[in-house]
Amino acid sequence: MPTTDKKRNRRQDRAPLDAKAQASRQREISISEFFTKNRHLLGFDSPAKALLTTIKEAVDNSLDACEEAGILPRVRVEIHLEQDPPVASGVNGNDNNSSNGNAKPGTVREERYKIVVEDNGPGIVVNQIPRIFGKLLYGSKFHTLRQSRGQQGIGISAAGMYGQLTTGRPVTIYSRTGPDQAAHRFEIQLDMKKNEPVILADEETIWEVDQGTRVEIVLTGSYKRGQHSVDTYLQQTAIANPHVQLTYCAPKGEPVVYESVAAELPVAAVEIQPHPHGVELGIMARMLKETKCRNVNSFLKEEFCRVGPKTAEAILTAAKLPPRKNPKRLQQDDIQRLLGAITETKIPAPPTDCLSPIGEELVLAGLQHGITADFYTSVTRPAAVYRGNPFQIEVGLAYGAQLPGDELARVMRFANRVPLLYQASACAIHKATLTANWRSYGLQQSRGALPSGPLVILVHMASVWVPFTSESKEAVAHYPEIIKEVRLGLQEAGRHLQRHIRRRVREREAEQKQSYIQKYIPHIGDALQEILILDDNERDEVIVTLTDTLERSRKF
Amino acid sequence: MPTTDKKRNRRQDRAPLDAKAQASRQREISISEFFTKNRHLLGFDSPAKALLTTIKEAVDNSLDACEEAGILPRVRVEIHLEQDPPVASGVNGNDNNSSNGNAKPGTVREERYKIVVEDNGPGIVVNQIPRIFGKLLYGSKFHTLRQSRGQQGIGISAAGMYGQLTTGRPVTIYSRTGPDQAAHRFEIQLDMKKNEPVILADEETIWEVDQGTRVEIVLTGSYKRGQHSVDTYLQQTAIANPHVQLTYCAPKGEPVVYESVAAELPVAAVEIQPHPHGVELGIMARMLKETKCRNVNSFLKEEFCRVGPKTAEAILTAAKLPPRKNPKRLQQDDIQRLLGAITETKIPAPPTDCLSPIGEELVLAGLQHGITADFYTSVTRPAAVYRGNPFQIEVGLAYGAQLPGDELARVMRFANRVPLLYQASACAIHKATLTANWRSYGLQQSRGALPSGPLVILVHMASVWVPFTSESKEAVAHYPEIIKEVRLGLQEAGRHLQRHIRRRVREREAEQKQSYIQKYIPHIGDALQEILILDDNERDEVIVTLTDTLERSRKF
């Protein structure tokens, strides 16, 4: 029952608002306020998902840092149940009680967990730590075209923000950049209004590791097993990252260790310049303004990939621009013509050494290590391009053995070696899998559905920039080039599977024939013996001859 | 063929990066840079979608402004094809040429369009115009709990940014706040680095309307017809907003006018305070810090809805907090206890006058006006709550007549009266529609698919805060409470439909029986005449009696 003055407010609210009144309500929205209210965009819409997302972001960062530093990653993940009382049931996406007219106190109660992620990476230099963990949209990967797990500069600070939001506790970071350096300990919070870090603790400390980073976040979440669980995420991470050693301590449970299958790091992905065909007017204008090059000719050659002297010349002639012209002097319609010329000019596809696919052998190894089946196959497609960004698709299939035969196939989606567990139906990989024709490979598939059978499908997209459908990085956007490549990969792998399935069928038929022969020949023998009045030797001869003949016929 | 020094760069790139080197790459990411690179999050991933999104955002703002000002909206939408040359094919999500290894110049070419949206609303006060159109995350609706179309403060400035990005042209705005006021004309650009407006023109001007706002955006896009087209969007907008008059001038084509069906505005939705059950620790802490109330008792009563003196007392006793305590003095564990107490306390569901559903009559009217069918029905569910936010589901069905009988049902999704055209498969509404059991209502439905038959399904979600899966506002997040409510609405409407379908079936059977009777009775009559040797009168009597009897039996 609202108080009378609230009632009065309400009545006022109903009054129409003229331009002035509407203007008075205009306000700036801080990026952290925005993501607090839209936390489902970051993957914090349910307590189970929040717990997973937090671990995901921390592990992604650890693996990126290790690989960039040329260190074989050893990552330790711990989930500790805290004793504090639970808080507002409102966070709980699964709290059905709030859905009926009369809101009762929540019965489904999420609990408090302390998440710890520790790596053997290069550590983080002290002055960077506050902003990396206490500021949204701050990172090293956004401005470079290079394959990496993180790209937005949102993830880990968002996880910290969520912890702070639900428990009021800061993020704790330990970092040591080498045995000769002192270890450092931070407690960081995020100022929601300013989107700036607040430093609660900043001190040297003793930490018994030579180097590495350790992140501790306390949050309200719920720990679940099954398809969308941390367990699944780590299993799949191990499959797609055979060079990584993962140690996992679940709440009340023995530590699980995923040993590394591969002895050395994947080939480091190099950074590339943007490809001319992927650049629009606005971006081009900004690049021209910011370039250090003194003339458009060198601008084209230096700032873009795949533009050599010949190509640059071709472009500038087509654009009717003098090679010596100062990039900063270009006018709107100059830029217009430049872009027109680029569109017209034949330019080779971007280099692909910016990509670091898992590789067919290791996809196979990963699958064999993680999944028990009769048959495995893997395909690594050649690199392709969408909106000027190179990308590469890999597909792996595991078939048969203990895998459930009557269910739909299980699809494991990966982007830059990171497992994608949510929003399958919104993902380009899922769409491509649905639209592939699995019947022709000897599997069952009802219209618009996944194939059914004892099958696990692995799809990996490696790219310098993965276009996710939301900041939570759970599904790949439906770019036609991407869907096409995934489908081609699935078809190639599908044909391998088809051969396997055909062989199995033939073998089964052969065995049957064989058994028939063994079953009936003797009787035929006896029959003939009676009809033709043969002695036992003659009968046995007949049987042998018959068997031989039939066996031979069976061969062909 | 990259130049040699680029090759050198590459080799350097392969060198491992220690903590220092990694630190040197850390940079801040401006919100506009972020959304430029992730433009698909805002609905600008393909040229066709970009055109639609731009119109959508402008129309949403016009309708919100008119309704808040108590004006019956009259909105005019124009799409003009511009003569300028097209630009970078890279924008084109459908440009398949860039997908094959060797990037040729794009053949699918999008064109330049000038989008104009003009309304009869209250206009915008001059000093607000630059930030509303030239700054992301600036708006009037984000900080209030009130049903409105816009909520993020991103849409229209993002559209302007996209236009600027693809054509370099600024946004032009005309605004007049009343007949006694001068009209004003602006040209605005957005500074991508700072996320601040750049004013290119700011002048008084002559404009032959008493009041209103006119927005002009030039962008590269492509104009398409069909399911995801502007045409569809406007048709559906007319259906869900029967009080709106829309005029639409497509490129080269006669203007189309959608006249309004309803004579007065929907009941204005009032603003509410947050409901206690939806608030987490972090939010509560901030509210306590920012409140003007001098003690926690009045804080609870003033800052939340549904908290009267009794409830406030109950909460504070349970939390062991003195009512006179100063909100700003509360410590972490005080807040902890407060939230615990709130969760324990029974508090009535939020008021629902913050919602403005379309209403069963008008849903019906809209459907009848927009779609030709034999049967119409509509359902408005009572309000429900997710994460403390009130929401309300409405369902409408149109069945039969010219609607295609052999295809899947068409689903029209609306959120706060705005049609949702993309990402159906990611939407809670879609999920609920799939999982409803349509067979039991006399429709065909194969497992995990939409029902098939001559059916159009309309679902509207009205809420003070619609949880979209991305900033482009195309799909509703999968909150269980929402899916549940949609399903209940569909079931109720489904039962109405079932009655209709049953009746049709019975009628058809009746007609058949009827025809049998007419067909055979006379012959039976003749037969009896022969057997019993009756004269013609007797025979006719028999026929009449028989017919009557059978007709009666048919009744039961």
Side-chain angles (χ1 to χ4, degrees):
Chain A
M1 58 329 263
T3 61
T4 46
D5 44 338
K6 269 188 213 148
K7 285 224 188 67
R8 212 173 304 112
N9 294 344
R10 281 249 182 61
R11 222 171 284 108
Q12 285 161 7
D13 282 337
R14 285 204 190 278
L17 305 172
D18 63 0
K20 228 197 210 69
Q22 292 189 11
S24 68
R25 300 165 153 258
Q26 297 287 350
R27 274 171 62 191
E28 187 164 338
I29 301 148
S30 99
I31 181 68
S32 25
E33 286 178 305
F34 174 77
F35 280 122
T36 308
K37 201 161 180 178
N38 289 300
R39 76 166 64 92
H40 53 273
L41 296 181
L42 301 174
F44 295 95
D45 36 351
S46 84
K49 207 166 158 186
L51 189 117
L52 172 63
T53 304
T54 303
I55 291 173
K56 207 160 168 277
E57 295 296 346
V59 172
D60 286 358
N61 290 354
S62 289
L63 296 180
D64 277 343
C66 290
E67 290 172 11
E68 281 185 25
I71 299 167
L72 269 172
R74 291 202 310 279
V75 179
R76 179 181 180 84
V77 176
E78 303 170 10
I79 307 177
H80 304 282
L81 180 57
E82 296 245 312
Q83 289 324 316
D84 310 42
V87 276
S89 68
V91 210
N92 192 338
N94 307 323
D95 176 2
N96 293 317
N97 293 288
S98 57
S99 73
N100 58 35
N102 174 11
K104 295 191 224 70
T107 53
V108 180
R109 283 263 203 98
E110 60 273 21
E111 298 173 297
R112 253 185 200 211
Y113 292 94
K114 180 185 190 183
I115 307 297
V116 180
V117 175
E118 181 174 324
D119 65 46
N120 63 332
I124 307 172
V125 293
V126 171
N127 65 11
Q128 287 293 339
I129 291 174
R131 274 169 302 175
I132 290 177
F133 294 91
K135 183 180 176 62
L136 297 172
L137 289 176
Y138 184 85
S140 60
K141 295 151 194 169
F142 182 84
H143 295 278
T144 63
L145 282 178
R146 177 201 201 105
Q147 176 181 335
S148 59
R149 295 172 179 78
Q151 54 189 35
Q152 315 283 36
I154 291 185
I156 194 64
S157 35
M161 188 172 82
Y162 178 81
Q164 175 179 343
L165 190 68
T166 52
T167 70
R169 303 268 288 272
V171 183
T172 306
I173 303 104
Y174 293 81
S175 161
R176 190 171 188 184
T177 58
D180 51 345
Q181 305 290 324
H184 220 91
R185 180 179 176 284
F186 271 95
E187 282 184 18
I188 309 276
Q189 277 199 330
L190 191 148
D191 179 322
M192 298 267 188
K193 274 245 183 296
K194 301 204 200 78
N195 183 34
E196 287 295 338
V198 181
I199 303 175
L200 303 186
D202 169 359
E203 67 215 8
E204 290 202 351
T205 177
I206 306 301
W207 188 28
E208 277 69 22
V209 302
D210 285 354
Q211 64 173 27
T213 307
R214 173 186 173 99
V215 184
E216 303 178 351
I217 296 177
V218 182
L219 50 76
T220 4
S222 74
Y223 172 74
K224 292 212 180 109
R225 304 195 160 274
Q227 196 193 357
H228 292 163
S229 65
V230 177
D231 312 54
T232 314
Y233 161 72
L234 291 173
Q235 284 156 15
Q236 297 195 5
T237 304
I239 291 177
N241 301 271
H243 60 289
V244 174
Q245 189 217 54
L246 287 168
T247 308
Y248 175 40
C249 313
K252 40 182 148 55
E254 289 304 299
V256 184
V257 180
Y258 299 91
E259 287 299 346
S260 55
V261 182
E264 73 275 344
L265 282 165
V267 181
V270 304
E271 181 177 340
I272 60 165
Q273 297 98 329
H275 190 276
H277 281 165
V279 175
E280 301 115 345
L281 192 137
I283 306 290
M284 178 62 84
R286 202 202 302 170
M287 290 175 76
L288 285 159
K289 217 172 87 219
E290 291 172 2
T291 182
K292 287 185 191 57
C293 302
R294 281 205 209 68
N295 64 65
V296 280
N297 185 292
S298 54
F299 167 77
L300 288 173
K301 288 186 299 189
E302 291 308 316
E303 303 282 345
F304 295 97
C305 65
R306 290 310 197 211
V307 180
K310 283 205 197 59
T311 318
E313 194 192 333
I315 294 172
L316 290 173
T317 330
K320 303 192 190 56
L321 286 170
R324 298 254 141 276
K325 193 168 174 81
N326 179 340
K328 302 195 168 39
R329 293 263 169 70
L330 261 61
Q331 301 305 314
Q332 271 286 338
D333 41 346
D334 297 331
I335 304 177
Q336 201 59 254
R337 285 205 314 284
L338 182 59
L339 283 165
I342 286 173
T343 319
E344 300 310 335
T345 313
K346 203 166 195 297
I347 303 172
T352 57
D353 52 359
C354 55
L355 298 176
S356 161
I358 304 170
E360 296 186 342
E361 303 72 16
L362 285 179
V363 170
L364 222 47
L367 278 177
Q368 286 160 342
H369 194 254
I371 290 157
T372 344
D374 303 334
F375 173 79
Y376 302 88
T377 183
S378 65
V379 169
T380 297
R381 294 276 311 157
V385 182
Y386 82 91
R387 240 181 70 194
N389 297 320
F391 73 98
Q392 197 162 5
I393 295 295
E394 304 188 279
V395 172
L397 299 180
Y399 181 87
Q402 284 93 326
L403 294 173
D406 47 357
E407 293 173 17
L408 294 179
R410 200 169 120 231
V411 181
M412 296 192 290
R413 301 171 292 131
F414 297 90
N416 289 354
R417 298 166 177 265
V418 179
L420 312 178
L421 298 187
Y422 282 91
Q423 289 194 27
S425 59
C427 184
I429 292 175
H430 183 78
K431 189 176 182 195
T433 316
L434 283 182
T435 50
N437 175 10
W438 293 94
R439 285 224 194 79
S440 60
Y441 308 131
L443 290 162
Q444 308 201 311
Q445 180 182 30
S446 48
R447 199 156 139 279
L450 287 171
S452 60
L455 179 64
V456 173
I457 303 168
L458 175 154
V459 179
H460 175 230
M461 171 180 183
S463 178
V464 293
W465 184 262
V466 181
F468 290 106
T469 59
S470 97
E471 292 85 346
S472 54
K473 307 205 283 184
E474 295 162 335
V476 178
H478 286 196
Y479 281 95
E481 299 87 343
I482 297 172
I483 294 177
K484 180 184 162 198
E485 273 300 312
V486 175
R487 196 179 294 121
L488 290 172
L490 290 168
Q491 287 166 349
E492 196 174 333
R495 285 188 292 272
H496 302 168
L497 177 59
Q498 181 187 35
R499 283 196 285 281
H500 169 73
I501 293 179
R502 282 234 186 95
R503 200 179 312 111
R504 292 294 307 281
V505 172
R506 273 203 307 279
E507 284 164 7
R508 224 175 290 113
E509 289 169 347
E511 283 158 13
Q512 270 182 340
K513 277 196 190 154
Q514 170 67 312
S515 67
Y516 289 147
I517 293 171
Q518 281 157 351
K519 199 163 158 198
Y520 298 117
I521 296 271
H523 303 286
I524 296 171
D526 299 340
L528 289 170
Q529 185 175 28
E530 282 186 18
I531 297 160
L532 310 172
I533 320 156
L534 310 171
D535 61 38
D536 290 5
N537 304 348
E538 289 171 310
R539 181 199 57 194
D540 296 345
E541 268 175 41
V542 172
I543 291 180
V544 172
T545 341
L546 262 175
T547 318
D548 293 355
T549 336
L550 290 170
E551 281 292 346
R552 266 206 309 290
S553 77
R554 197 162 68 76
K555 295 274 175 307
F556 313 115
Chain B
M1 53 342 257
T3 62
T4 47
D5 45 337
K6 267 187 213 146
K7 285 225 188 64
R8 214 174 304 116
N9 293 344
R10 281 250 181 60
R11 223 169 284 109
Q12 286 162 7
D13 282 340
R14 285 206 190 277
L17 305 171
D18 63 1
K20 227 195 211 69
Q22 292 190 12
S24 68
R25 298 165 153 259
Q26 297 287 351
R27 276 170 60 192
E28 185 162 345
I29 301 148
S30 97
I31 182 69
S32 26
E33 287 178 303
F34 174 78
F35 279 122
T36 307
K37 202 162 180 180
N38 290 300
R39 74 164 67 89
H40 52 273
L41 296 181
L42 302 174
F44 295 96
D45 36 349
S46 86
K49 208 166 157 187
L51 189 115
L52 173 63
T53 304
T54 304
I55 290 173
K56 209 158 165 280
E57 296 297 346
V59 172
D60 286 358
N61 291 353
S62 289
L63 296 181
D64 278 343
C66 289
E67 291 172 10
E68 281 186 25
I71 299 167
L72 269 172
R74 289 200 312 278
V75 179
R76 180 180 180 86
V77 177
E78 302 170 11
I79 306 177
H80 304 284
L81 181 56
E82 294 244 313
Q83 288 325 313
D84 310 42
V87 277
S89 68
V91 209
N92 192 336
N94 308 322
D95 174 3
N96 293 316
N97 292 286
S98 57
S99 72
N100 59 35
N102 172 11
K104 298 190 223 73
T107 53
V108 181
R109 284 260 206 97
E110 60 273 19
E111 298 174 296
R112 256 187 196 207
Y113 292 94
K114 180 184 186 183
I115 307 296
V116 180
V117 175
E118 182 175 323
D119 65 46
N120 63 331
I124 307 171
V125 294
V126 171
N127 66 8
Q128 288 293 340
I129 291 173
R131 275 168 301 175
I132 289 176
F133 293 91
K135 182 180 178 62
L136 297 172
L137 289 177
Y138 184 85
S140 60
K141 296 152 194 168
F142 183 85
H143 293 94
T144 63
L145 282 178
R146 177 201 202 105
Q147 177 180 335
S148 59
R149 293 170 181 80
Q151 53 189 37
Q152 315 283 36
I154 293 185
I156 194 64
S157 35
M161 189 171 83
Y162 178 81
Q164 175 180 342
L165 190 69
T166 53
T167 70
R169 303 266 290 271
V171 184
T172 306
I173 304 103
Y174 293 81
S175 161
R176 192 171 185 183
T177 56
D180 52 344
Q181 303 290 323
H184 219 91
R185 179 179 177 283
F186 271 96
E187 283 186 17
I188 308 276
Q189 278 199 331
L190 191 148
D191 180 321
M192 300 267 188
K193 275 245 185 295
K194 300 205 202 80
N195 184 33
E196 287 296 338
V198 181
I199 302 172
L200 304 185
D202 169 359
E203 68 215 9
E204 290 203 350
T205 177
I206 306 301
W207 189 27
E208 276 67 25
V209 300
D210 284 353
Q211 65 173 27
T213 308
R214 174 186 174 98
V215 184
E216 301 178 354
I217 295 178
V218 182
L219 49 76
T220 358
S222 73
Y223 173 74
K224 293 214 180 108
R225 302 195 160 275
Q227 196 193 358
H228 292 164
S229 65
V230 177
D231 312 52
T232 314
Y233 161 72
L234 291 174
Q235 284 156 16
Q236 297 194 6
T237 305
I239 290 176
N241 300 270
H243 61 289
V244 174
Q245 188 217 56
L246 287 168
T247 308
Y248 174 41
C249 312
K252 41 184 148 56
E254 289 306 299
V256 185
V257 180
Y258 299 91
E259 288 300 345
S260 54
V261 183
E264 73 275 343
L265 283 166
V267 181
V270 302
E271 182 178 339
I272 59 164
Q273 297 101 325
H275 189 277
H277 281 164
V279 175
E280 301 115 344
L281 193 137
I283 307 289
M284 178 63 84
R286 202 203 302 171
M287 290 175 76
L288 285 159
K289 217 173 87 220
E290 291 171 3
T291 182
K292 289 185 192 59
C293 302
R294 283 206 207 68
N295 65 64
V296 278
N297 185 295
S298 55
F299 166 78
L300 287 174
K301 287 185 303 188
E302 290 309 314
E303 304 281 345
F304 295 97
C305 64
R306 290 313 196 208
V307 181
K310 283 203 198 60
T311 318
E313 195 190 332
I315 294 172
L316 291 173
T317 331
K320 301 190 191 55
L321 285 171
R324 298 251 141 279
K325 191 166 173 83
N326 178 341
K328 301 190 167 43
R329 295 262 169 71
L330 261 61
Q331 302 304 316
Q332 271 288 340
D333 40 347
D334 297 330
I335 305 176
Q336 201 60 256
R337 285 205 315 283
L338 183 58
L339 283 165
I342 286 174
T343 319
E344 300 310 335
T345 313
K346 201 167 190 316
I347 304 171
T352 57
D353 53 358
C354 55
L355 298 175
S356 159
I358 304 170
E360 295 187 340
E361 303 72 14
L362 285 178
V363 169
L364 222 47
L367 279 175
Q368 285 160 341
H369 194 252
I371 290 157
T372 347
D374 303 336
F375 172 79
Y376 304 88
T377 183
S378 64
V379 170
T380 297
R381 294 275 311 156
V385 182
Y386 83 91
R387 240 180 70 194
N389 298 318
F391 73 98
Q392 196 160 8
I393 296 295
E394 302 188 278
V395 172
L397 299 180
Y399 181 85
Q402 285 94 325
L403 294 174
D406 47 358
E407 293 171 19
L408 294 180
R410 201 169 120 230
V411 181
M412 297 194 288
R413 301 171 292 131
F414 297 90
N416 289 354
R417 297 167 178 264
V418 180
L420 312 178
L421 299 187
Y422 282 91
Q423 290 192 31
S425 58
C427 184
I429 291 175
H430 183 77
K431 191 176 181 197
T433 315
L434 284 182
T435 49
N437 175 11
W438 293 94
R439 286 225 192 79
S440 60
Y441 308 131
L443 291 162
Q444 308 198 313
Q445 180 181 30
S446 48
R447 198 155 140 280
L450 287 171
S452 60
L455 179 64
V456 173
I457 303 167
L458 175 154
V459 179
H460 175 231
M461 171 178 182
S463 178
V464 293
W465 185 262
V466 181
F468 290 107
T469 59
S470 99
E471 291 85 344
S472 54
K473 307 204 285 184
E474 295 161 335
V476 177
H478 286 193
Y479 280 95
E481 299 87 342
I482 297 172
I483 294 177
K484 179 183 162 199
E485 273 301 312
V486 175
R487 196 178 297 120
L488 289 172
L490 290 168
Q491 287 166 347
E492 194 174 334
R495 284 190 291 273
H496 301 170
L497 177 59
Q498 179 186 38
R499 281 197 285 282
H500 168 74
I501 293 178
R502 282 232 187 96
R503 200 180 310 110
R504 292 294 306 280
V505 173
R506 272 205 307 279
E507 283 164 7
R508 224 175 289 112
E509 288 169 347
E511 282 158 13
Q512 271 182 340
K513 276 196 192 155
Q514 170 66 310
S515 67
Y516 289 147
I517 291 170
Q518 280 156 352
K519 200 161 156 198
Y520 296 116
I521 296 272
H523 303 287
I524 296 172
D526 298 342
L528 288 172
Q529 185 174 28
E530 283 186 17
I531 298 159
L532 311 173
I533 322 153
L534 310 170
D535 61 37
D536 291 5
N537 303 346
E538 288 171 311
R539 181 200 56 196
D540 296 347
E541 264 175 40
V542 170
I543 292 181
V544 173
T545 341
L546 264 174
T547 318
D548 292 357
T549 335
L550 291 170
E551 282 292 346
R552 264 207 310 291
S553 78
R554 195 163 69 77
K555 295 279 177 307
F556 314 115

